[in-house]
């Protein structure tokens, strides 16, 4: 039951992606095109899920655009407030470990001492492709 | 109510046998049960706490207590890893996740004999300024049920609980702030990335301290923004915060961003003469949205220092108005990276899809994260795209340097400490707060607090007074990097001057518990 519901959920999510149209948002920058959406969803492996989420991203970008007004000529980027100090490096000696069993306990699918992952190198279907999911 | 100057230290009481750790633990557990409606705790570790209390009691009987925190109930925000105790970050992604190790700061507290009451509620993954967006529901501000607030609203304190208009705690460490404010513990750990410790502290009338970046270990704190996160400390008075800081500060080999300078526990000296101090008032913090009341308290505080002989001057932090924008870009970018670890394979939630790793990751993350988290991940990924990297991420890093330099210039000109508001106004009713989305609210509410995180400076919010509505207002002191002790010294002096009132919680007094017992808990700190 649960697996079926999840598949349906995924299907409706993909359906949304297929049916998406970019609407101009008066507060937005119009930069979040369908292409950008698809690209971001694949990079982040997190979906927008709704038109509202796209609108929120547009607003976030418009907000960030305010930085353009700042004059940063000749200014170096700052990565850390501790940039003037040396990062501590501890000596390369093994002082802990051997806790495979403990670590494996938190995973859902485990076989012996392996985490089980589904097959890799399969891209998410593109917007206009049929979903290739077979019944599990 | 007992005034603060008459309080007895609970540490002293434990040492003298006036109360045992088990009794103290049980009192706090009972208070947690009575205040369950606040939703401050996600997990109450009752068995663990009683066992720790028992061990503490044995130590006291042998005269071998570990120190000021031995037997003292504490709470920890649920984004700190606690061995054997579920750690969820208030997210579906980590429901059921039990870490196999303690965060360094948690371990340090436990090594001092502290008794862990439980894990407190927060905004999901510490993203938010209300503690309203977690998977376990919002946290209610104890002041919603205080006599002080209800009298102002002309509500019968003993009447039907009018619950629809309850107030938020602020966030994201709202659970910790509420836990401390409601006397269920003496100190709580929060985290502070953009103000997440100081904001709820101000709204809940407690002390919220953010140490200098690099002073306290982040190992075990589930990261949000690696270059800004710090563990925060919430207590009912500044002295207690100093005691906790003394135990937590110091280099941790497991966190290479902790400085290596030696740090020793310290007793906070009492400042009596402020005439040698120079207090800076940043003029750009006089925001138009600042409420008249907060502005007035800010002004009175400045006058107080001046009247006691301190030099109070106006200073300028010119890039203040860009600070929140810069924070927004850097925060979402680092979040996009930090949240990538949640893929369902090694820990946390995993969906049922097994077609491909990508499909599994995508569905797991959709099910596990709420809208706020997903929104930030997507925004962060946008700013990190090749075509945007220079114009957004690098640009924000450059602006960060300008902001940090603003502070350096001000402190180099002889200012010891900056005095600013913590929040724009008092705690808002939940129904009002949720009218705007999380990002908008965070941008509004973090306005006075996030620049401090970008510069890595220490800062503390101290409760000042009650507003016209009977709600706490806090003011913020910002110190020089690694001058945390001096900052707390000044905050302690100020706290003594303002004598912030103790919250009167009718709920706790209604069921016949002896008032003196509640008073005892209400008015004590760890030490005199």
């Amino acid at each position: 039951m649960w697996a079926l519901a999840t598949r349906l959920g995924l299907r409706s999510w993909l359906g949304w992606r297929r049916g998406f149209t970019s609407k101009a948002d008066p507060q937005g920058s119009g930069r979040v095109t369908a292409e950008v959406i698809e690209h971001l969803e694949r990079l982040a492996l997190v979906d927008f899920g709704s038109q509202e989420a796209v609108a929120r991203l547009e607003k976030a970008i418009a907000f960030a655009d305010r930085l353009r007004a700042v004059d940063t000529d000749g200014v170096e980027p700052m990565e850390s407030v501790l940039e003037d100090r040396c990062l501590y490096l501890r000596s390369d000696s093994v002082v802990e470990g051997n806790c495979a069993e403990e670590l494996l306990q938190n995973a859902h699918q485990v076989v012996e001492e392996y985490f089980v992952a589904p097959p890799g190198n399969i891209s998410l279907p593109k917007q206009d492709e049929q979903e290739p999911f077979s019944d599990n | 109510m007992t005034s603060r100057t008459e309080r007895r230290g609970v540490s002293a009481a434990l040492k003298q046998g006036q109360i045992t750790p088990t009794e103290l633990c049980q009192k706090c557990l009972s208070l947690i049960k009575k205040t369950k409606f606040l939703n401050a705790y996600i997990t109450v570790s009752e068995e663990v706490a009683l066992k720790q209390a028992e061990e503490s009691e044995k130590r006291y009987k042998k005269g071998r207590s570990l120190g000021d925190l031995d037997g003292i109930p504490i709470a920890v925000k649920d984004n700190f890893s606690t061995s054997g105790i579920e750690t969820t970050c208030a997210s579906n992604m980590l429901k059921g996740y039990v870490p196999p190790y303690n965060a360094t700061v948690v371990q340090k507290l436990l090594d001092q004999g502290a008794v862990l009451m439980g894990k407190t509620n927060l905004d999901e993954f510490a993203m938010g300024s209300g503690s309203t967006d977690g998977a376990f529901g919002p946290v209610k501000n104890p002041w919603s049920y205080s006599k002080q607030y209800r009298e102002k609203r002309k509500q019968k304190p003993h009447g039907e609980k009018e619950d629809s208009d309850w107030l938020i705690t602020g966030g994201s460490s709202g659970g910790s702030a509420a836990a401390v404010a409601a006397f269920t513990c003496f100190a709580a750990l929060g985290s502070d990335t953009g103000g997440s410790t100081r904001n709820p502290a101000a709204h809940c009338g407690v002390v919220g301290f953010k140490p200098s970046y690099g002073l306290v270990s982040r190992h075990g704190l589930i990261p949000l923004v690696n270059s800004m996160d710090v563990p925060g400390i919430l207590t009912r008075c500044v002295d207690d915060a100093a005691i906790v800081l003394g135990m937590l500060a110091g280099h941790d080999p497991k966190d290479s961003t902790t400085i290596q300078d030696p740090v020793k526990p310290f007793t906070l000296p009492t400042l009596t003469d402020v005439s040698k101090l120079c207090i800076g008032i940043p003029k750009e913090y006089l925001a138009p949205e600042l409420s008249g009341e907060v502005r007035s308290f800010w002004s009175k505080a400045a006058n107080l220092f001046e009247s006691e002989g301190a030099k109070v001057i106006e200073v300028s932090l010119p890039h203040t108005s860009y600070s929140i924008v810069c924070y927004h870009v850097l925060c979402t970018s680092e979040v996009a990276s930090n949240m990538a670890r949640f893929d369902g394979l090694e820990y946390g939630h995993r969906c049922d899809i097994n077609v491909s790793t990508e499909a599994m990751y995508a569905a797991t993350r959709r099910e596990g994260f709420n809208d706020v988290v997903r929104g930030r991940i997507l925004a962060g990924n946008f700013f990190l795209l090749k075509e945007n990297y220079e114009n957004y991420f690098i640009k924000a890093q450059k602006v960060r340097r300008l902001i940090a330099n603003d502070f350096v210039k001000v402190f180099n000109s002889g200012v010891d400490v900056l005095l600013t508001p913590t929040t724009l106004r008092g705690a808002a009713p939940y129904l009002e707060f949720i009218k705007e989305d999380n990002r908008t609210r965070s941008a509004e509410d973090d306005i006075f607090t996030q620049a401090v995180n970008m510069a890595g400076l220490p800062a503390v919010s101290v409760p000042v007074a009650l507003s016209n509505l009977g709600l706490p207002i806090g003011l913020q002191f910002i110190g020089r990097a690694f001058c945390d002790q001096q900052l707390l010294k000044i905050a302690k002096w100020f706290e003594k001057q303002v004598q912030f009132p103790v919250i009167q919680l009718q709920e706790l007094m209604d069921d016949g518990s002896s008032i003196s017992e509640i008073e005892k808990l209400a008015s004590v700190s760890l030490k005199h």
Side-chain angles (χ1 to χ4, degrees), chain B residues 507-521:
Chain B
E507 293 298 321
L508 307 182
M509 301 186 186
D510 264 355
D511 64 352
S513 325
S514 78
I515 301 263
S516 66
E517 284 189 356
I518 306 295
E519 272 191 2
K520 212 190 285 185
L521 270 177

Side-chain angles (χ1 to χ4, degrees), chain B residues 52 64 76 101 204 253-254 270 278 292 298 315 345 382 399 406 409 442 452 461 465-466 480 522-523:
Chain B
Q52 288 168 348
R64 289 206 209 120
V76 168
Y101 70 104
C204 293
K254 293 182 181 171
T270 306
C278 178
W298 186 21
V315 295
L345 270 186
F382 180 85
V399 176
D406 279 354
K409 282 190 201 124
S442 296
V452 164
S461 176
L466 296 182
R480 295 169 191 243
S523 56

Side-chain angles (χ1 to χ4, degrees), chain A residues 2 6 10 31 44-45 47 60 63 65 67 70 72 76-79 81-83 106 108 116 118-119 133, chain B residues 98 251 256-257 261 325 328 345 348 350 352-353 355-357 365-367 381 385 392 395 397 401 454:
Chain A
W2 171 240
T6 319
L10 186 62
R31 310 255 299 271
L45 286 180
D47 64 324
F63 189 59
D65 280 338
L67 284 181
V70 188
T72 51
E76 284 297 303
M78 178 185 243
E79 272 161 17
V81 295
L82 300 177
E83 60 189 3
N106 274 312
H108 279 265
V116 178
F133 305 113
Chain B
V98 179
H251 178 64
S256 59
T257 59
D261 303 358
V325 185
H328 159 73
L345 270 186
R350 179 177 177 147
D352 282 332
I353 292 180
V355 177
S356 70
T357 38
R365 290 157 70 81
R366 179 166 52 93
E367 289 167 16
N381 273 295
L385 288 176
Y392 289 95
K395 181 80 177 179
Q397 286 190 316
R401 183 179 296 283
M454 294 218 284

Side-chain angles (χ1 to χ4, degrees), chain A residues 82 86-89, chain B residues 251-260:
Chain A
L82 300 177
C86 281
L87 213 57
Y88 170 75
L89 289 176
Chain B
H251 178 64
D252 180 15
K254 293 182 181 171
D255 177 356
S256 59
T257 59
T258 50
I259 58 162
Q260 293 158 64

Side-chain angles (χ1 to χ4, degrees), chain A residues 14 37 68 73 82 86 90 92 101 131:
Chain A
L14 291 170
I37 288 176
R68 291 186 194 189
D73 272 342
L82 300 177
C86 281
R90 61 178 177 215
D92 188 16
E101 218 179 282
E131 339 115 12

